[in-house]
Amino acid sequence: MKYGYFDNSRREYVIDRIDVPVSWTNYIGVKDLCGVFSHTAGGYLFYKSPEYHRITRFRPNGVPMDRPGHYVYIRDDETGDYWTLSWQPVGKSPDSARYTCRHGLSYIKYQCEYASIRGEQTLFIPLEDPVEIWDVRLRNDSDRKRRLSVYGYAEFSFHHIQIDNQNFQMSLYASGSSHQDGIIEVDLFYEDGGFQYFTAADANDESGTNEAACFDCLRDAFIGPYRSETNPIAVERGACSGSSELGGNHCGGLRRAVELEPGGETRLLFLLGEGNREAGKAMRAKYGAGTGAFSPVDAAFKALGDFWKEKLEKLQVSTPNEGMNTMLNIWNLYQAEINVLFSRFASFIEVGGRTGLGYRDTSQDAMMIPHSNPEKSRQRLVQLLKGLTTAGYGLHLFNPEWFEKQPVPAFNSPTVVPVPSVSQRIHGIADVCADDALWLIPSIVEYIRETGDFGFADEKYPYADTFDPATGEGMSETVFDHMKRILDFSAREIGPHGICKGLRADWNDCLNLGGGESAMVSFLLHWALTHFCGLARRLGRDVSRYEELTARVRESCERELWNGSWYTRGFTASGRAIGSPDCKEGRVFMESNTWAILSGAASPEHGKAAMDAVDQYLYTPYGLKLCDPAYSEPDDEVGFVTRVYKGLKENAAIFSHPNPWAWAAEAVLGRGDRAMKFYDALCPCGQNDKIEVRKAEPYMYCQFIAGPDHSAFGRAHHPFMTGSAGWSYFAATRYILGIRPGFDSLAVDPCIPPSWPSFSVRRLWRDAVYHVTVKNPHNVSKGVKECRLNGQDVKIGSMGAEIPIQRPGSENQVMVVMGA
Ligand code: GLC
C-alpha cells in the first residue's frame, strides 16, 4: 500500500494520501532556528537548543497525534465552514477534500483543495534569519466571490523543556503577551532577553496592519474551554477576542480577512521568530515588504534550494539501481546532514530533553559528511576532542557548551535547573562506553583525507577534565596527542583473552559486558590504529609502537575470536562466549562478523565464512537482523539486550545501523551481488509500496525494523536520527561505488553486481570535479583493469585506481574499466 511517491525532479517526497499510519516528519532550519514537523503540520520550533530554548510547544507521544503545530485555518465567512491547509487538526474527510504534503529539503508544503479554494502553506526558515516563514497562497476556484478568514496559529512554549512540563510556578506567572503594531510579542519575563513574536503580512496591505485583522495572544482564549485545535472558538466564531495577559499560556493567533474574486489569488505570510517586537518588525519589513509578490521570500526560498543543491552536487551518482540513485542523490545525504546538525536530540521520539552530543553517535555522524559540510564536521570533531578526558575516554553524553567559556549570568533565576559542576560532568570508568572515543580517530582521518587540512592534527585543544569554564582554559595537547590517548586507553583496558573490555557498553548499548570482553571494540581498535598509523606515516612521524600494537590486536582477534565458523561477539565477565556456535541464543552477531572484515583484521577465507553466516542466519527481506536467535530470558551478565522483547531494538530486530557495515564488508570481500542484496533489503524507498507493513517514512532510514520474532515484523521505527543515515551513505559511496578520498589521491575501487554494465559518479574533491565513468564489460564484481584520467593512463594499485589530485577548479574525466 502506497501513500505517496518520490518527485526527484523537485527533490520532494509527495504524500498524496494524507492519512499515513504514523507521523511522517521532516526538519526545517539549518542553523540556529530549527523545527521538526509532521505531514500534518504538528511539531515544534526551537532556537539552538530544543531543551533550553523551545519556541513552540509540543505534546509528544500523545493523542491525537502530532499536536499542537503551526496551523493555518481557513474559514468561509459566508457558510461558517472551516478547515486547515495541513489536513489536521480540523481534519476534513479526505473524500470531500484533497490534501497533499510535500516534504522537501528543509521545507514542507501543505496543499489543500476544499470547497473550491486551493490553498498552500509552505514552512521554511531562511538561511540568514531566525524566523520561520509560513508562506500561504490561496486561490478561488469557484465562480463566485469568496469572503474568507485566514488564521495563523501556534502555541508558544516556555523555553526550558523541564519547566514547560513540570513546575509551572514561575513560568506560568512570569511570562506575558501583548499585541501592538500587528505583532504578538511573548515576553518570558523570568529570563534575560527571552522574547518571541508572531506577525503577519499580506500582499495587498503595504502597511502590515490589515484593517479586518484581529488577534489572540492567549491560547485558552483562542481555543476556548473544552475545545481543542480541532475546533477553536476563535475560528468557529470568525473572530479573535483580542486577548493578552501578563501570565498564562500564550499563543500566536492572528486572523486576516481575505476577499477573492472568481479565479482570484492572494498570498500572505505569517512570521514566527526569535526576538522581541522590534525583531518581528524588522523581519516583517524584510520579508513582507509590500511588493505584492513577496520577492524577498522567494529569494530566501531559492537560496535554501541552492544551499542543498550545492551540497548534493558534490556527489551525484547514476547507477542501474534507481532506489540507490534516489537515496544517494537526495535523501540519504539529507538525513546524514540532519543527524550531524541535530545530533540525535530533536525528533518526535527524542523530544529535546537531552541536549548534547552522544560521543559515539556524533563521532560517526561527523565522519559521513566532510565533503558536503566540512565546517560542521570540523566543529563536531573539535567539540568531541574537548569532551575527551586525559585518561583517553570520551564523555558518553555531554553538552559542548560545558567546554566553552561561560558568560556570567545577569541574574540567577529560581526556575533554572542547576548546572552540574565541572567534576560532576566528568563520569568515571564505570560509565565509559568502550567504543566511544575510538570512532573519533577514523573521523578525524577521513576529515583530513577529504579536506587536505593536515594542520588539524597539530591544533591544540584542552581535555574535558582539565577545563575551567570560568577562564575557558585547560591543559591542551594536539589532536594527534588526543588520538594517542584514545588508543592507549583501549590498549590498557583489555581482559584475560587480550580482547578489549566491553565496559558499560560497546557500540551496542544493550550489551553491557563490564569487565567482560568485546570483539567489536578490539576490531574497532584495529580500525582506528590503521587510520592513525596511516596519518602518522603521511605526516612523517614515528609510530612503530602503534604499528606493533596493530599487529598484536590482529593476532589476538584471530586467535581468540575466530571460532571455526564465524567471529565470536565477546566474552562475559565470567568467561562465557557470546555469539559463538555453542550459544543457544545470541549465536551469531552482526558486529563481530562485519567488523572483523571492515577493520582489516580478518583473513579473506575467514571473512567470507563469517559473512556467509551473516547471510544464512541474519538475512530477512527487510534487512539484516542484529543477532540470532533472539534472547528470551534476562541474563545480566550479557546485558540489557536480554531484557528487550524478541525482535525489537538490539534483541534481534533489523537494527539499521550495522546493515551498511555488512554492505561494506561484502564489498571488501568482492561480492557485489551480496552487497547489493543487503543494500536493497534495507533501502527505505524499496518499501514505498509496503507501508501497511513498514508504517514509517519511506524516504528515511529508521533506527530499527521489527524482526521476524515480533508480531509486527517489518514495521520500521524511529526515523531520521540514526547512525544508519551516515553509514549507508558512507558504505554505498565509498565501498560499493568505491570512490574514496585518500591523503593525496582519489581511489576508484568499486564492488558492484556483475550484471551492472556501468555507472557514473560526479565527485567534487578538494575543489576539483571528477566525472568518473566506470564500465564493466567483463561482468565482474570487483577489480580495476584500466583507468584513464583526461586521456592519460593512471596507476592501478591494490586499492583500485589512484587518481592524483587535480588543480582546483578543474573538471576531470575519469574512465575506469573493470576486469579481473
Ligand atoms: C542507538 C544509539 C547508539 C547505539 C545504537 C545501538 O542508535 O544512539 O549510540 O550505538 O543504538 O545500541
Side-chain angles (χ1 to χ4, degrees), residues 344 360-361 507-509 650 655 703:
R344 319 277 186 94
R360 77 160 75 91
D361 291 345
W507 166 84
N508 189 326
D509 268 334
E650 283 86 342
F655 209 89
Q703 187 200 66

Side-chain angles (χ1 to χ4, degrees), residues 53-106:
H53 206 122
R54 270 303 174 75
I55 293 180
T56 51
R57 188 170 282 154
F58 189 58
R59 287 181 270 282
N61 203 15
V63 280
M65 67 199 229
D66 308 346
R67 298 272 181 103
H70 293 194
Y71 302 130
V72 175
Y73 295 86
I74 310 292
R75 180 180 187 274
D76 185 324
D77 286 337
E78 267 146 41
T79 64
D81 191 14
Y82 59 89
W83 62 99
T84 26
L85 296 181
S86 50
W87 185 42
Q88 296 296 329
V90 176
K92 290 285 180 197
S93 158
D95 298 337
S96 61
R98 194 183 142 94
Y99 297 98
T100 310
C101 167
R102 290 178 171 265
H103 279 309
L105 306 185
S106 299

